[in-house]
Amino acid sequence: MSNVINMSDYRKKLASESSDAIRDGLIPIEFAMGIGDRSKCLDRIAKYGISSIHVRMVNDEPGTLLYLIGVGDAIDLNKQILASEEISEEEIERRIDLIQMMENMNFVGMDSLWESFSSQSESVV
């Protein structure tokens, strides 16, 4: 199981192991948003009301964390950005490319990648 952070209130509660995001596959928030700055990603994710981020600790690197989001949530987030923000043509093309990449991902391969170098602990929402 992974750590989950509720973006709306940051309060900890136990989360269901069968959440849609876990079944859906997880990807780093930086990839999902197309933004290299984690704090900017978290700000933008919170703005759109995405309910959970899965946090995993990187093995052999205490204090280094991976922030992951469900692929379905990431696709919905990018669609919301396209529908509601005034963005450049270049940004529109980049968001469409991100959506298409995420729709065609190998979830089993992605999940085994994260498991290979991260550890999981209790889930919180």
Side-chain angles (χ1 to χ4, degrees):
M1 230 181 309
S2 62
N3 287 330
V4 180
I5 299 172
N6 185 335
M7 299 304 293
S8 63
D9 62 11
Y10 298 99
R11 287 181 298 178
K12 296 182 178 184
K13 298 182 231 170
L14 290 179
S16 169
E17 206 174 350
S18 65
S19 76
D20 289 336
I22 291 171
R23 281 193 307 259
D24 192 23
L26 299 170
I27 57 174
I29 61 171
E30 295 88 350
F31 174 79
M33 295 295 300
I35 301 172
D37 183 327
R38 181 179 291 164
S39 60
K40 286 182 183 177
C41 289
L42 290 171
D43 289 343
R44 203 149 185 200
I45 288 168
K47 175 183 173 182
Y48 284 94
I50 300 300
S51 62
S52 64
I53 300 296
H54 303 264
V55 181
R56 294 186 179 172
M57 189 175 348
V58 176
N59 294 335
D60 302 324
E61 303 241 358
T64 303
L65 302 173
L66 282 173
Y67 286 70
L68 306 169
I69 185 171
V71 173
D73 284 339
I75 291 170
D76 289 342
L77 175 62
N78 280 288
K79 288 179 178 179
Q80 288 180 44
I81 290 169
L82 286 171
S84 63
E85 292 185 16
E86 292 291 324
I87 54 179
S88 68
E89 288 294 319
E90 183 179 306
E91 178 73 8
I92 290 170
E93 290 173 7
R94 193 163 59 92
R95 295 253 165 242
I96 291 170
D97 288 344
L98 278 170
I99 291 168
Q100 290 174 338
M101 273 192 287
M102 289 185 280
E103 288 175 338
N104 294 309
M105 289 182 130
N106 176 345
F107 301 124
V108 174
M110 294 300 293
D111 288 342
S112 62
L113 172 68
W114 308 135
E115 289 172 14
S116 71
F117 64 88
S118 68
S119 59
Q120 302 176 25
S121 58
E122 76 178 42
S123 286
V124 289
V125 176

